[in-house]
């Protein structure tokens, strides 16, 4: 019952399986003790009837009080154990899952996050985990415990009178057959509801992230109409799903409770024919008041079990994604970056085909080429943000695919065009470059990155909160904070991806000055579209259609009048003159 298939079906850990077993066990015990209470009432009633008919004495009050106290004490103990097993231990499991999920995400290749929609991933981490928590704590133990305890009780009833047992219990399998027969409908509705919820969240996130562009282009009404449509679609799907679920669940509940009527009818007929006495029917009527109770909550939430399987699949997709593993030590002989016949594809789209070049330590190696030629891909592969499809990338003679990415990235500093800042102080945003750096080290790195110029004008200086993603700063100021991080880290390898592409001439000059201090003595791999940015590079690698087409010093490539680099330089120069 609780094998690997069950474990995967509900995204449970090994400890979670053990917890579910405990919850199921104690639910069975609680249900049997409750039925034992019905047995006590039956024997009391038997004693009372014998007193009325035969003049037998009732048990003493001390015996009755003792039995009652013992039953209540046993009931409290078992209910506490059931509560702890189905809630207390489950909360430990959900804590383990959240931490484990965070650890899993931490070890996934960073390229994975570029493929996943942010709203969808957020919904999985938050919404799907919450749904599984509710199923683990409120459904699994009760449902499977109800299965087992009802089977035990049914066997006992069959021994007492098989005819009344069938009349009492026939509705249970029929009700669950109805529910499980509607499983495909519930799962389809769950998938559509989840998709509509993700689309709604995605629309809200997109509107918030692009609010300035929406206002600037007078598209408020179009975006509001689109968002309202997504909200309405999500609402319709939820109503449809809840209606279908309610229809099947309530139908199953009605069918199950028809057992009360059939028990009375069959029992009355058997009494009239003299095959049983009234006390036998009385006992079954006592049983029937409690035998359906274990399924009441489970029936109400059985549809959630079906919906939870959709959530479990989404969670397991994260666990099924291979993590980027490797050695915990990285001891290269220098920091030359060497691409050896590297191939790489995004899904089925080939991006790099047989790329080979070397970026030497102490030199600036520039990657240039048309858009989509594979420049940024090379930079990300060099830092093992993705793994190559074929070929190898070595740093100091060490294959980076054999090194743990977190260990490898300790030797890298990266400055990208799209700077990511946190809603924190200038000081803490820069300190991200080196955990535990002192304030003096942070200020020194900031000064080297020309940050003092604008930080001194902020209300609280380095203790000023800069807003979400640095909204209170200009593009050049945000870029200089990014460079200050890299300076503080002082890694031997520096990757620059369009670090100055969006800056004006004045800010570009300031940022270039900060970069010159960052790059001294490093292995530098720089990507830029502006030819004047790379003309001072030691070597230029020209990429086209995912292949290296030219390689050499800037002067060498400019001398090749028919070369790609020379042509790009001429086009940019002509464009600049035309603009002026």
């Amino acid at each position: 019952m609780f094998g690997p298939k069950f474990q995967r079906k509900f995204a449970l850990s090994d400890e979670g399986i053990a917890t579910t077993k405990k919850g199921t066990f104690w639910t069975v015990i609680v249900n049997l003790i409750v039925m034992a209470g019905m047995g006590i009432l039956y024997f009391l009633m038997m004693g009372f009837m014998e007193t009325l008919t035969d003049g037998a004495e009732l048990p003493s009050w001390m015996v009755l009080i003792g039995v009652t106290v013992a039953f209540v004490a046993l009931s409290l103990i078992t209910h506490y154990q059931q509560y702890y097993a189905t809630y207390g231990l489950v909360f430990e499991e959900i804590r383990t899952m959240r931490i484990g999920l965070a650890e899993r995400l931490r070890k996934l290749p960073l390229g994975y996050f570029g493929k996943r929609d942010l709203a969808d991933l957020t919904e999985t981490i938050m919404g799907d985990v919450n749904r599984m928590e509710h199923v683990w704590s409120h459904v699994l133990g009760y449902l499977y415990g109800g299965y087992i305890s009802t089977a035990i009780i049914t066997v006992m009833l069959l021994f007492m009178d098989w005819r009344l047992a069938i009349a009492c219990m026939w509705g249970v399998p029929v009700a669950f057959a109805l529910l499980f027969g509607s499983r495909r409908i519930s799962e389809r509705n769950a998938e559509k509801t989840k998709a509509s919820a993700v689309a709604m969240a995605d629309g809200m996130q997109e509107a918030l992230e692009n609010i300035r562009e929406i206002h600037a282009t007078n598209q408020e009404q179009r975006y509001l109409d689109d968002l309202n449509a997504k909200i309405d679609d999500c609402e319709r799907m939820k109503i449809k799903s809840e209606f279908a679920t309610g229809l099947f669940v309530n139908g199953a509940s009605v069918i199950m409770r028809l057992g009360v009527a059939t028990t009375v009818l069959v029992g009355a007929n058997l009494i009239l024919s003299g095959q049983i006495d009234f006390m036998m029917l009385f006992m079954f009527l006592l049983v029937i008041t409690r035998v359906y109770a274990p399924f009441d909550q489970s029936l109400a939430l059985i549809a959630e079990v079906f919906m939870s399987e959709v959530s479990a699949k989404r969670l397991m997709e994260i666990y099924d994604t291979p993590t980027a593993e490797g050695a915990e030590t990285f001891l290269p002989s220098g920091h030359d970056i060497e691409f050896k016949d590297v191939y790489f594809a995004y899904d089925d789209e080939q991006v790099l085909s047989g790329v080979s070049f070397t970026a030497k330590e102490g030199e600036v190696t520039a990657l240039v080429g048309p858009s989509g030629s594979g420049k940024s891909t090379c930079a990300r592969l060099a830092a093992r943000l993705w793994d190559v499809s074929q070929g190898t990338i070595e740093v100091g003679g060490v294959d980076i695919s054999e090194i743990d990415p977190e260990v490898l990235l300790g030797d890298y500093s990266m400055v990208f065009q799209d700077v990511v800042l946190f809603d924190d102080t200038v000081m803490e945003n820069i300190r991200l470059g080196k955990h535990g750096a002192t304030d003096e080290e942070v200020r020194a790195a900031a000064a080297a990155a020309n940050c003092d110029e604008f930080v001194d004008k902020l209300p609280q200086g380095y203790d000023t909160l800069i807003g979400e993603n640095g909204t209170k700063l200009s593009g050049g100021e945000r870029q200089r904070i990014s460079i200050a991080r890299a300076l503080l880290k002082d890694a031997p390898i520096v990757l620059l991806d369009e670090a100055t592409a969006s800056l004006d001439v004045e800010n570009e000059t300031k940022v270039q000055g900060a970069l010159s201090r960052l790059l001294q003595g490093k292995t530098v791999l720089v990507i830029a579209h502006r030819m004047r940015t790379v003309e001072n590079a030691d070597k230029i690698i020209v990429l086209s259609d995912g292949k290296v087409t030219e390689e050499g010093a800037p002067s060498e490539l400019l001398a090749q009048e028919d070369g790609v680099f020379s042509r790009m330089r001429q086009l940019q120069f002509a464009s600049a003159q035309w603009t002026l």
Side-chain angles (χ1 to χ4, degrees), residues 330-346:
F330 179 47
L331 301 172
S333 300
H335 288 88
D336 289 356
I337 301 175
E338 186 174 3
F339 278 60
K340 294 183 176 180
D341 198 29
V342 169
Y343 287 78
F344 180 75
Y346 293 112

Side-chain angles (χ1 to χ4, degrees), residues 340-376:
K340 294 183 176 180
D341 198 29
V342 169
Y343 287 78
F344 180 75
Y346 293 112
D347 297 324
D348 296 326
E349 181 185 355
Q350 194 69 34
V351 180
L352 299 181
S353 300
V355 171
S356 298
F357 67 85
T358 300
K360 293 185 178 181
E361 187 172 9
E363 293 185 358
V364 175
T365 302
L367 298 177
V368 302
S371 295
S373 59
K375 303 183 299 298
S376 295

Side-chain angles (χ1 to χ4, degrees), residues 42-220:
Y42 170 73
F43 284 114
L44 285 175
M45 189 64 181
M46 282 287 290
F48 180 72
M49 291 297 294
E50 289 177 358
T51 300
L52 291 178
T53 56
D54 302 330
E57 293 185 3
L58 286 170
S60 68
W61 286 107
M62 292 299 294
V63 172
L64 293 175
I65 292 173
V67 170
T68 302
V69 170
F71 174 77
V72 170
L74 189 59
S75 181
L76 287 174
I77 291 170
T78 53
H79 273 85
Y80 170 78
Q81 292 294 334
Q82 181 196 33
Y83 180 87
Y84 178 69
T86 53
Y87 292 97
L89 292 179
V90 163
F91 293 149
E92 287 293 318
E93 168 68 6
I94 200 66
R95 180 183 69 86
T96 300
M97 166 173 248
R98 290 186 189 278
I99 294 173
L101 190 60
E103 285 293 308
R104 187 74 182 186
L105 291 170
R106 184 173 68 85
K107 290 182 176 295
L108 289 177
L110 295 184
Y112 170 82
F113 300 96
K115 297 178 182 178
R116 286 293 299 268
D117 179 78
L118 182 60
D120 184 40
L121 190 58
T122 302
E123 175 64 22
T124 299
I125 296 170
M126 301 302 294
D128 290 329
V129 171
N130 285 339
R131 181 178 296 280
M132 296 312 302
E133 175 185 358
H134 197 261
V135 169
W136 294 342
S137 60
H138 288 74
V139 181
L140 292 185
Y142 290 101
L143 183 62
Y144 288 92
Y147 288 161
I148 296 171
S149 59
T150 301
I152 294 172
I153 293 167
T154 300
V155 171
M156 294 171 64
L157 293 178
L158 285 170
F159 275 108
M160 299 187 74
D161 191 288
W162 64 270
R163 296 159 298 186
L164 283 176
I166 293 174
C168 178
M169 302 304 296
W170 71 268
V172 175
V174 173
F176 276 88
L178 174 64
L179 282 177
F180 280 92
S182 67
R183 183 173 189 162
R184 291 186 180 275
I185 297 174
S186 298
E187 288 179 349
R188 282 199 301 268
N189 286 337
E191 290 173 355
K192 291 178 181 179
T193 300
K194 180 64 70 175
S196 65
V198 170
M200 180 184 67
D202 204 20
M204 289 182 177
Q205 179 180 318
E206 182 182 53
L208 291 172
E209 288 179 347
N210 299 289
I211 191 69
R212 287 178 296 183
E213 288 76 10
I214 293 171
H215 280 293
T217 55
N218 294 321
Q219 296 294 316
E220 297 96 328

Side-chain angles (χ1 to χ4, degrees), residues 424-453:
D424 207 334
T425 65
V426 175
M427 179 75 72
E428 293 307 317
N429 269 282
I430 296 175
R431 205 192 308 272
L432 284 173
K434 180 182 177 182
H435 180 67
T438 64
D439 290 355
E440 290 73 20
E441 289 176 315
V442 172
R443 290 177 186 275
N450 295 331
C451 292
D452 283 344
E453 176 188 337

